[in-house]
Each structure stands twice: as structure tokens, then as C-alpha cells.
Amino acid sequence: MARISPSVLSADFLTFKDDIKEFEAAGVDMLHIDVMDGIFVPNISFGNPLIKSIKKHTNIPLDVHLMIDRPHRYIDEFAKYADYLGFHYEAGSDNVETLKRIRELGCKSCITIKPATPPESIYDLLDLCDMVLVMSVEPGFGGQKFLPSALEKLSKLRAECQRRNLDIELEVDGGINNETAPLAVDAGATVLVAGSYVFSAEDISAKIQEIKNL
Ligand code: DX5
Ligand code: ZN
């Protein structure tokens, strides 16, 4: 069964507390939180004050996806509330040091790759990762179409992890719905991020169950 991490980027934050209750009842595995700085990606979302509030209201593990330039500058701050803390391979930090620091701070470490980045680029970092996030859209916005090129990247990463006997979550983010989720799981994804698909639903719990059961 795939694990699900709804992306709160698509939430209405004035009613989000109700969504959290539904997520808890539906047994979501994590909450995916997209932090954007308007520099690494052409969009600005929110920062640690919101994450701190979410942490106060739920025990669901927080899966923080940093889309910010030189993320090492903010790792210590975000590690206060994150459970999984991920940043982009392409964002201009020392990736080895940043992954090590995330673990030192007690979080699960995650490196993220954009659609144009080959999976082989991160093979030498896998020993330092608890999770790898493969973007299946260009980072920056919800509601985009799934890029099928993510599937081959997931398969390659799955094979490499198996070959080296590494127990790493493989997460996929962008354009996940009832058609793309099974393809991603077949390719090796173990955690599915879903934003617009979940939040556009009349019945959020039913959508969560549908994806989890795929
Ligand atoms: C995009 C974000 C995603 C986004 C996914 O940069 O990283 O997490 O919220 O949204 P959907 O599921 O609508 O593609
Ligand atoms: Zn994301």
C-alpha cells in the first residue's frame, strides 16, 4: 500500500484545521508542506510560522519540501518542526553537509530532484538520505500535469536502492491522481504527494482511501 502525503499548498488555510481532522481520521501518513522563496522557484508560499502552527495541531509527521535557494541557511530553523526535511539538489548548498546536518538535527533527510536532473546525479548521496523526492512537475505550482519521465527515474532509483540494499522512501510529487498514482507506484514510488487532486474533492477521506488502496 502506498503512503500518502497531501500537499497543503492547495489548502484554504482559514479552514485547514478541519482538513487536518479529516486527514487524521483518514490515516494519512504525512503532510507535505511546500516552502517557496520566489528565487529558487517563481512563486512564494509560506514559511516556518505556518509550519509551527500546523505542528501544534497534529501529530501527523510533517514532510517539508524546501524550494529555496541555498537551503543550508535555514535547515536549523525548519528542523524545529519538520519530521522529514527535504531540499533541492540544484539549490546551491553543499548537499553532503546539508543532508548530514538534517540527520544531526533529528529529522529524516530528503534530497529532491527537478525533472531535468538525472537520477544518477544523486547516487553518491543515497547513503545520507532517508527519502528521495522525484519531482514529476516543474517545482513552483500545484495543479500541473504529471511528467511521465519521472517514472523511469523512479525505476532507476528503486533498482539502485535494491542493488545497494538501501531502505529509502521514494516520494513522487506533482500531478498525482487516480491515473498517475498507480503508474508511480509500479515504478517504485512508496510515498505519493497529492495536492489539487485531494483538495478539490468533495469527500477528502474517500479520495485519500482511493489513493492509498491503489
Ligand atoms: C509543486 C509542489 C507540489 C504541489 C503538488 O512545486 O512541490 O507539492 O503542491 O500539487 P499537485 O498535486 O496539484 O500537482
Ligand atoms: Zn512539493
Side-chain angles (χ1 to χ4, degrees):
M1 203 193 249
R3 307 176 77 204
I4 179 145
S5 190
S7 171
V8 309
L9 188 63
S10 297
D12 174 344
F13 286 108
L14 294 190
T15 53
F16 186 55
K17 214 171 157 188
D18 302 337
D19 297 331
I20 290 180
K21 296 293 155 228
E22 280 209 57
F23 287 143
E24 285 172 348
V28 306
D29 301 281
M30 314 175 190
L31 282 181
H32 185 84
I33 303 184
D34 291 302
V35 177
M36 305 179 185
D37 66 352
I39 296 171
F40 181 69
V41 288
N43 196 7
I44 297 176
S45 58
F46 38 71
N48 230 16
L50 180 77
I51 304 177
K52 182 180 180 183
S53 298
I54 297 176
K55 190 75 188 168
K56 209 160 72 185
H57 290 285
T58 185
N59 290 323
I60 301 174
L62 304 186
D63 161 28
V64 175
H65 173 192
L66 298 179
M67 283 164 271
I68 65 176
D69 186 51
R70 291 169 291 149
H72 61 277
R73 297 174 297 157
Y74 294 101
I75 292 299
D76 286 45
E77 207 37 48
F78 283 102
K80 289 181 186 163
Y81 312 109
D83 294 279
Y84 285 80
L85 185 52
F87 65 96
H88 272 265
Y89 170 81
E90 310 86 353
S93 283
D94 179 325
N95 292 323
V96 170
E97 287 310 313
T98 309
L99 286 166
K100 282 187 183 161
R101 182 72 186 144
I102 291 173
R103 281 185 169 171
E104 242 171 56
L105 291 164
C107 294
K108 303 264 193 201
S109 59
C110 174
I111 193 128
T112 304
I113 51 173
K114 296 208 298 189
T117 303
E120 293 81 2
S121 326
I122 58 165
Y123 281 3
D124 60 352
L125 297 172
L126 291 177
D127 289 308
L128 298 172
C129 297
D130 298 299
M131 182 157 83
V132 167
L133 169 51
V134 173
M135 291 305 298
S136 42
V137 297
E138 285 300 335
F141 299 91
Q144 302 180 73
K145 202 169 172 303
F146 182 84
L147 297 170
S149 53
L151 297 173
E152 196 190 340
K153 292 165 76 170
L154 287 166
S155 305
K156 284 188 176 169
L157 282 160
R158 175 53 57 222
E160 180 67 6
C161 289
Q162 270 164 2
R163 190 180 71 77
R164 285 162 56 183
N165 209 13
L166 295 171
D167 184 19
I168 297 179
E169 298 279 7
L170 280 187
E171 183 175 49
V172 61
D173 181 9
I176 292 294
N177 57 34
N178 59 338
E179 282 168 19
T180 55
L183 304 177
V185 171
D186 278 353
T190 57
V191 182
L192 303 168
V193 176
S196 49
Y197 186 65
V198 165
F199 281 95
S200 65
E202 285 281 304
D203 182 346
I204 287 185
S205 310
K207 272 281 186 283
I208 300 282
Q209 284 315 320
E210 177 192 298
I211 297 184
K212 277 180 82 110
N213 291 331
L214 288 170

